[in-house]
Coordinates of all heavy atoms in Angstrom, one line a residue:
F1 N 94.7 -4.0 15.9 CA 95.2 -4.2 17.2 C 95.7 -3.0 18.0 O 95.4 -2.8 19.2 CB 96.4 -5.3 17.0 CG 97.2 -5.5 18.4 CD1 96.7 -6.5 19.3 CD2 98.4 -4.9 18.7 CE1 97.3 -6.6 20.5 CE2 98.9 -5.0 19.8 CZ 98.5 -5.9 20.8
V2 N 96.5 -2.2 17.2 CA 96.8 -0.9 17.8 C 95.7 -0.1 18.1 O 95.6 0.6 19.2 CB 97.8 -0.2 16.8 CG1 98.0 1.3 17.4 CG2 99.0 -1.0 16.7
A3 N 94.7 0.0 17.3 CA 93.5 0.8 17.5 C 92.8 0.3 18.7 O 92.3 1.1 19.6 CB 92.5 0.8 16.3
T4 N 92.6 -1.0 18.8 CA 92.0 -1.7 19.9 C 92.6 -1.2 21.2 O 92.0 -1.0 22.3 CB 91.8 -3.2 19.8 OG1 91.2 -3.5 18.5 CG2 91.2 -3.8 20.9
A5 N 94.0 -1.2 21.2 CA 94.8 -0.9 22.3 C 94.7 0.6 22.7 O 94.6 1.0 23.9 CB 96.2 -1.3 22.2
L6 N 94.7 1.4 21.7 CA 94.7 2.9 22.0 C 93.3 3.6 22.3 O 93.3 4.5 23.0 CB 95.4 3.6 20.8 CG 96.8 3.4 20.5 CD1 97.3 4.1 19.2 CD2 97.7 3.8 21.7
I7 N 92.4 3.0 21.7 CA 91.0 3.7 21.9 C 90.6 3.9 23.3 O 90.2 4.9 23.8 CB 90.0 2.9 21.1 CG1 90.1 3.2 19.6 CG2 88.5 3.3 21.6 CD1 89.2 2.5 18.7
P8 N 90.7 2.8 24.1 CA 90.3 3.1 25.7 C 91.2 4.0 26.4 O 90.7 4.9 27.1 CB 90.7 1.7 26.3 CG 90.5 0.7 25.1 CD 91.1 1.4 23.9
I9 N 92.5 4.1 25.9 CA 93.4 5.1 26.5 C 93.0 6.5 26.0 O 92.8 7.4 26.9 CB 94.8 4.8 26.1 CG1 95.4 3.5 26.6 CG2 95.7 5.9 26.5 CD1 96.7 3.1 26.1
V10 N 92.7 6.6 24.7 CA 92.2 8.0 24.2 C 91.0 8.5 24.9 O 90.7 9.6 25.4 CB 92.1 8.0 22.8 CG1 91.5 9.2 22.2 CG2 93.6 7.8 22.1
L11 N 90.1 7.4 25.0 CA 88.7 7.7 25.6 C 88.8 8.1 27.1 O 88.2 9.1 27.5 CB 87.8 6.4 25.4 CG 87.4 6.2 24.0 CD1 86.6 5.0 23.9 CD2 86.5 7.5 23.4
W12 N 89.8 7.4 27.7 CA 90.0 7.6 29.2 C 90.6 9.2 29.4 O 90.1 9.8 30.3 CB 91.0 6.6 29.8 CG 91.3 7.1 31.2 CD1 90.6 6.7 32.4 CD2 92.5 7.6 31.6 NE1 91.2 7.2 33.4 CE2 92.5 7.8 33.0 CE3 93.6 8.2 30.9 CZ2 93.4 8.4 33.7 CZ3 94.7 8.8 31.7 CH2 94.5 8.9 33.1
R13 N 91.5 9.5 28.5 CA 92.1 10.8 28.7 C 91.0 11.8 28.3 O 91.0 12.9 29.0 CB 93.3 11.0 27.7 CG 94.5 10.2 28.2 CD 95.7 10.4 27.2 NE 96.1 11.8 27.2 CZ 96.8 12.4 28.1 NH1 97.5 11.8 29.0 NH2 97.2 13.8 27.8
M14 N 90.3 11.6 27.3 CA 89.2 12.6 26.9 C 88.2 12.7 28.1 O 87.7 13.8 28.4 CB 88.5 12.1 25.6 CG 89.4 12.2 24.4 SD 88.5 11.6 22.9 CE 87.2 12.7 22.9
G15 N 87.9 11.5 28.6 CA 87.0 11.6 29.8 C 87.4 12.3 31.0 O 86.7 13.1 31.6
A16 N 88.8 12.2 31.3 CA 89.4 12.8 32.4 C 89.3 14.4 32.2 O 89.1 15.1 33.1 CB 90.8 12.3 32.6
K17 N 89.8 14.7 30.9 CA 89.7 16.2 30.6 C 88.3 16.8 30.8 O 88.1 17.9 31.3 CB 90.3 16.4 29.2 CG 91.8 16.2 29.1 CD 92.2 16.4 27.7 CE 93.7 16.2 27.5 NZ 94.2 16.5 26.2
Q18 N 87.3 16.0 30.2 CA 86.0 16.6 30.3 C 85.5 16.5 31.8 O 84.9 17.5 32.2 CB 85.0 15.6 29.5 CG 83.6 16.0 29.5 CD 83.5 17.4 28.7 OE1 84.1 17.6 27.7 NE2 82.7 18.4 29.3
A19 N 86.0 15.6 32.5 CA 85.6 15.6 34.0 C 86.2 16.7 34.7 O 85.5 17.5 35.5 CB 85.9 14.3 34.7
K20 N 87.5 17.1 34.3 CA 88.1 18.3 34.8 C 87.3 19.6 34.5 O 87.1 20.5 35.4 CB 89.6 18.3 34.4 CG 90.3 19.4 35.1 CD 91.8 19.3 34.7 CE 92.6 20.5 35.4 NZ 94.0 20.5 34.8
R21 N 87.0 19.5 33.2 CA 86.3 20.8 32.7 C 84.9 20.9 33.5 O 84.5 22.0 33.9 CB 86.2 20.8 31.2 CG 87.4 21.1 30.4 CD 87.1 21.3 29.1 NE 86.5 20.2 28.3 CZ 87.2 19.2 27.7 NH1 88.6 19.3 27.6 NH2 86.7 18.2 27.0
D22 N 84.3 19.7 33.6 CA 83.0 19.8 34.3 C 83.0 20.2 35.8 O 82.2 20.9 36.3 CB 82.3 18.4 34.2 CG 81.9 18.1 32.8 OD1 81.8 18.9 32.0 OD2 81.6 16.9 32.5
S23 N 84.2 19.6 36.4 CA 84.4 20.2 37.8 C 84.7 21.6 37.9 O 84.3 22.1 38.8 CB 85.6 19.2 38.3 OG 85.9 19.6 39.7
E24 N 85.5 22.1 37.0 CA 85.9 23.6 37.0 C 84.7 24.4 36.8 O 84.4 25.5 37.4 CB 87.0 23.8 36.0 CG 88.3 23.2 36.5 CD 89.4 23.5 35.3 OE1 89.0 23.8 34.3 OE2 90.6 23.2 35.6
Q25 N 83.8 23.9 35.8 CA 82.6 24.6 35.5 C 81.6 24.6 36.7 O 81.0 25.6 37.0 CB 82.0 24.0 34.3 CG 80.7 24.8 33.7 CD 81.1 26.1 33.3 OE1 82.0 26.5 32.7 NE2 80.2 27.2 33.8
A26 N 81.6 23.4 37.3 CA 80.6 23.3 38.5 C 81.2 24.2 39.6 O 80.3 24.8 40.4 CB 80.6 21.8 38.9
K27 N 82.5 24.3 39.8 CA 83.0 25.2 40.8 C 82.6 26.6 40.5 O 82.3 27.4 41.4 CB 84.6 25.0 40.9 CG 85.1 25.8 42.0 CD 86.6 25.5 42.1 CE 87.3 26.4 43.1 NZ 88.8 26.1 43.3
R28 N 82.9 27.0 39.2 CA 82.6 28.4 38.8 C 81.0 28.6 39.1 O 80.6 29.8 39.5 CB 82.9 28.6 37.4 CG 84.4 28.7 37.1 CD 84.7 29.3 35.7 NE 84.4 28.4 34.8 CZ 85.2 27.5 34.2 NH1 86.5 27.2 34.7 NH2 84.8 26.7 33.2
D29 N 80.2 27.7 38.7 CA 78.8 27.8 38.8 C 78.4 28.0 40.3 O 77.7 28.8 40.7 CB 78.0 26.6 38.2 CG 78.1 26.6 36.7 OD1 78.5 27.7 36.1 OD2 77.8 25.5 36.1
S30 N 79.1 27.2 41.1 CA 78.9 27.2 42.6 C 79.2 28.6 43.2 O 78.5 29.2 43.9 CB 79.6 26.2 43.3 OG 79.4 26.2 44.7
E31 N 80.4 29.1 42.7 CA 80.8 30.4 43.2 C 80.0 31.5 42.6 O 79.6 32.4 43.4 CB 82.3 30.7 42.8 CG 83.4 29.8 43.2 CD 84.7 29.9 42.8 OE1 84.9 30.7 41.7 OE2 85.7 29.3 43.3
L32 N 79.5 31.4 41.5 CA 78.6 32.4 40.9 C 77.3 32.4 41.7 O 76.7 33.5 42.1 CB 78.3 32.2 39.5 CG 77.3 33.1 38.8 CD1 77.8 34.5 38.9 CD2 77.1 32.6 37.3
Q33 N 76.7 31.3 42.0 CA 75.5 31.0 42.8 C 75.7 31.6 44.1 O 74.8 32.3 44.7 CB 75.0 29.6 42.8 CG 74.6 29.1 41.5 CD 74.2 27.6 41.5 OE1 74.4 27.0 42.6 NE2 73.6 27.0 40.4
A34 N 76.8 31.4 44.7 CA 77.1 31.9 46.1 C 77.2 33.4 46.1 O 76.6 34.1 47.0 CB 78.5 31.3 46.6
R35 N 77.8 34.0 45.0 CA 77.9 35.5 44.9 C 76.5 36.1 44.8 O 76.2 37.0 45.3 CB 78.7 35.9 43.7 CG 80.3 35.7 44.1 CD 81.1 36.5 43.1 NE 81.0 36.0 41.7 CZ 81.7 35.1 41.2 NH1 82.7 34.5 41.8 NH2 81.5 34.7 40.0
I36 N 75.7 35.4 43.9 CA 74.4 35.9 43.6 C 73.5 35.8 44.9 O 72.8 36.7 45.3 CB 73.7 35.0 42.5 CG1 74.3 35.2 41.2 CG2 72.2 35.4 42.5 CD1 73.9 34.4 40.0
L37 N 73.7 34.6 45.7 CA 72.9 34.5 46.9 C 73.4 35.5 48.0 O 72.5 36.1 48.6 CB 73.1 33.1 47.5 CG 72.4 32.8 48.7 CD1 70.9 32.9 48.5 CD2 72.7 31.3 49.2
A38 N 74.7 35.8 48.1 CA 75.2 36.7 48.9 C 74.7 38.3 48.6 O 74.4 39.0 49.5 CB 76.7 36.8 48.9
N39 N 74.7 38.5 47.3 CA 74.1 39.8 46.7 C 72.7 39.9 47.2 O 72.2 41.0 47.6 CB 74.4 40.0 45.4 CG 75.7 40.2 45.0 OD1 76.6 40.6 45.8 ND2 76.2 39.9 43.7
L40 N 71.9 38.9 47.0 CA 70.4 38.8 47.3 C 70.3 39.0 48.8 O 69.4 39.7 49.2 CB 69.9 37.6 46.8 CG 69.6 37.4 45.3 CD1 69.2 36.0 44.9 CD2 68.8 38.5 44.7
T41 N 71.1 38.3 49.6 CA 71.0 38.4 51.0 C 71.4 39.7 51.5 O 70.7 40.5 52.3 CB 72.0 37.4 51.7 OG1 71.7 36.0 51.2 CG2 71.9 37.5 53.1
S42 N 72.4 40.4 50.9 CA 72.8 41.7 51.2 C 71.7 42.7 50.9 O 71.4 43.6 51.7 CB 74.1 42.0 50.5 OG 74.5 43.5 50.7
V43 N 71.2 42.6 49.7 CA 70.1 43.4 49.3 C 68.9 43.4 50.2 O 68.2 44.4 50.6 CB 69.6 43.2 47.8 CG1 68.4 43.9 47.3 CG2 70.9 43.5 46.9
S44 N 68.6 42.1 50.6 CA 67.5 41.8 51.5 C 67.7 42.3 52.8 O 66.9 43.1 53.5 CB 67.3 40.4 51.7 OG 66.3 40.0 52.6
Q45 N 69.0 42.3 53.4 CA 69.4 42.9 54.7 C 69.2 44.4 54.5 O 68.8 45.0 55.5 CB 70.7 42.5 55.1 CG 70.8 40.9 55.5 CD 72.2 40.6 55.9 OE1 73.2 41.3 55.5 NE2 72.4 39.6 56.8

């Protein structure tokens, strides 16, 4: 009974943390891509 009650909570918390990590990683990837693009644009200019 306890396991049945706790598993969804644990899974939700794990999912939330993973989503946060994914969001932060995506943000870092986006910033990195923007910097790379800016550098490429600057080099091109």
Side-chain angles (χ1 to χ4, degrees):
F1 175 77
V2 171
T4 302
L6 292 177
I7 286 174
I9 297 173
V10 172
L11 291 176
W12 174 80
R13 286 182 62 88
M14 291 176 63
K17 289 181 179 181
Q18 185 61 43
K20 184 178 180 181
R21 285 194 295 269
D22 291 344
S23 176
E24 292 174 349
Q25 184 62 44
K27 183 179 180 181
R28 287 194 294 270
D29 291 344
S30 177
E31 292 174 349
L32 178 60
Q33 291 175 356
R35 286 196 297 270
I36 292 172
L37 182 60
N39 289 336
L40 290 174
T41 301
S42 177
V43 170
S44 177
Q45 286 180 335

